[in-house]
Amino acid sequence: MSERRKSLSQRFKEQLLGDTFQRIYHVFCRMVWLSTFVVQFAILDVYLVLYKNIYWCLWIIPDLLVLGTFLAAAVRSFIHLKQRSAPVKTLMGELPLSYIAWLLYSAILSAKFCIIYVLPNSIASQLDEKNFFGPNMLQTGLSLVSIILYFFILTVQDTRAHTEQNNYIQSISGSAYVDLLDAVSFGSVLLKDKDVVMGYHLDWITLAIVTFNFIFPTECLFVLSKTYFGKFPLSRKSQLIHKVVHYVVVNFPMFLVRMLVWHLHDQNISVFLVKNILALTLAVKDIHDFTIQVTKVITDSPDGLTEETKVGAAEMELKGNLSEMQILSESGTRA
């Protein structure tokens, strides 16, 4: 009896420790997410005030609006995950404030990016690397968007690793973090190759591509919300279409502009060009894998061999046994 009580007490302590750590983990993720957002928008506001005038500090008004929306999303998701109630299908999906908040945030971020980078007399083209608030700090501030998205997604779900639900979430949003870094790097085309970009009217195309990539994670969050973060996942065909469209829509335009600028202007090309090529290749690979799975051209057996190979190996083994029996029979007859 005492051992049973001790076992129950141990389980209670482990459960309490797990709940406490889970609570600390969710608070930590939300603190990193919100603090990173504040730092990013503060950096961008400094550039607007320094290189424009003091009136540009009014950007703090939309900043506070986004912060308020993020805070509401953080509190709502924390309460939702703590309750762990059974999912109830609704028109807006699960935690709809997640994709609404990102849409608002990405719209304000895109507006600031366009103001800072718009040619010909952009703020970014006036920056000096010797200054603290130079081009490097600007790139760093914009790159924080990837960290913000990563921790944002962590706050709206807490699935265990290596589960089907977690794999589904990663398949929908997995490449978005790298795509955002690629978009920030792609924006540097407006500085390094300004003459070529303006000469061939690629400046507005570049701005459109970057801002589209900032806003595009809204679609990923919307899909996750409508599928209740993997509880009611899309069909395999729909997942394939989503991944292929994501690969092509995000990477193909940047690939074309980079190749065009490289062809017209002898400049060092970004390593993200290889990432664009790799993403397009992965799209073809996903289509190939899905086709094989649907048509059952290759059927895997438990031991890792295809059925056709397995049958062929069995026939060869049978022929070998018959040959051995024939040789032994002939030997016995001669004896």
Side-chain angles (χ1 to χ4, degrees):
M1 191 70 179
S2 60
E3 291 181 358
R4 185 179 179 183
R5 288 180 178 178
K6 185 177 180 180
S7 177
L8 291 173
S9 177
Q10 184 68 21
R11 289 181 184 177
F12 178 75
K13 290 181 180 179
E14 291 176 354
Q15 184 67 29
L16 183 62
L17 178 62
D19 292 341
T20 303
F21 179 79
Q22 191 76 357
R23 193 176 297 109
I24 294 173
Y25 168 78
H26 282 296
V27 172
F28 170 77
C29 289
R30 283 160 176 76
M31 289 179 62
V32 175
W33 162 38
L34 294 173
S35 60
T36 305
F37 158 73
V38 171
V39 170
Q40 183 193 50
F41 269 29
I43 291 174
L44 297 180
D45 288 345
V46 168
Y47 282 97
L48 293 176
V49 173
L50 287 179
Y51 291 90
K52 292 289 186 179
N53 53 60
I54 193 63
Y55 296 107
W56 286 83
C57 68
L58 292 175
W59 270 100
I60 196 174
I61 296 175
D63 293 355
L64 291 175
L65 178 62
V66 177
L67 179 60
T69 309
F70 272 177
L71 282 171
V75 173
R76 180 70 189 91
S77 61
F78 184 84
I79 296 174
H80 177 78
L81 295 177
K82 187 178 180 180
Q83 292 175 345
R84 296 186 181 278
S85 56
V88 179
K89 288 189 175 183
T90 60
L91 181 63
M92 299 289 288
E94 185 178 12
L95 296 174
L97 194 56
S98 59
Y99 57 83
I100 295 174
W102 186 268
L103 178 61
L104 178 62
Y105 159 74
S106 59
I108 302 300
L109 177 64
S110 299
K112 291 186 177 184
F113 177 86
C114 292
I115 294 171
I116 293 174
Y117 276 87
V118 67
L119 297 174
N121 298 318
S122 65
I123 295 176
S125 62
Q126 304 174 33
L127 302 179
D128 189 354
E129 294 184 359
K130 296 180 180 179
N131 297 331
F132 180 77
F133 285 99
N136 294 328
M137 177 59 71
L138 178 60
Q139 289 284 97
T140 302
L142 290 170
S143 299
L144 293 178
V145 64
S146 182
I147 299 177
I148 293 172
L149 178 63
Y150 177 74
F151 279 97
F152 186 27
I153 292 179
L154 287 182
T155 61
V156 294
Q157 55 87 23
D158 58 352
T159 57
R160 289 181 296 177
H162 310 299
T163 60
E164 291 187 6
Q165 186 177 352
N166 183 263
N167 292 337
Y168 172 79
I169 293 174
Q170 295 303 320
S171 68
I172 297 297
S173 62
S175 63
Y177 318 118
V178 181
D179 292 336
L180 288 173
L181 292 177
D182 189 10
V184 174
S185 175
F186 183 74
S188 63
V189 171
L190 295 169
L191 301 179
K192 298 178 181 179
D193 309 293
K194 183 172 63 174
D195 297 336
V196 175
V197 168
M198 291 191 64
Y200 289 86
H201 307 288
L202 297 175
D203 48 344
W204 290 104
I205 296 176
T206 303
L207 289 173
I209 292 174
V210 175
T211 54
F212 171 80
N213 278 273
F214 286 159
I215 298 174
F216 194 62
T218 306
E219 184 268 344
C220 298
L221 290 166
F222 178 77
V223 171
L224 290 175
S225 175
K226 292 291 289 184
T227 57
Y228 291 79
F229 296 93
K231 299 182 184 72
F232 305 101
L234 295 172
S235 64
R236 292 181 178 178
K237 181 179 180 181
S238 298
Q239 290 185 46
L240 172 70
I241 295 173
H242 178 272
K243 290 177 68 176
V244 171
V245 170
H246 185 95
Y247 284 140
V248 174
V249 169
V250 170
N251 292 277
F252 191 65
M254 288 191 283
F255 170 76
L256 286 181
V257 173
R258 279 175 170 144
M259 290 299 296
L260 184 60
V261 172
W262 187 17
H263 176 71
L264 297 174
H265 199 193
D266 294 331
Q267 288 289 339
N268 295 329
I269 200 67
S270 172
V271 294
F272 279 104
L273 175 66
V274 179
K275 175 257 180 187
N276 299 145
I277 298 174
L278 180 61
L280 296 174
T281 306
L282 289 175
V284 177
K285 176 67 166 54
D286 286 341
I287 296 174
H288 168 263
D289 292 343
F290 180 78
T291 304
I292 288 178
Q293 188 176 14
V294 171
T295 58
K296 297 182 179 180
V297 175
I298 300 176
T299 305
D300 293 333
S301 61
D303 58 0
L305 298 175
T306 63
E307 292 294 338
E308 187 177 332
T309 306
K310 187 177 179 181
V311 172
E315 290 178 351
M316 292 179 64
E317 184 178 359
L318 180 60
K319 289 180 180 178
N321 292 336
L322 291 174
S323 299
E324 289 181 3
M325 291 176 63
Q326 186 177 2
I327 293 171
L328 290 174
S329 178
E330 291 177 356
S331 300
T333 303
R334 291 175 183 175

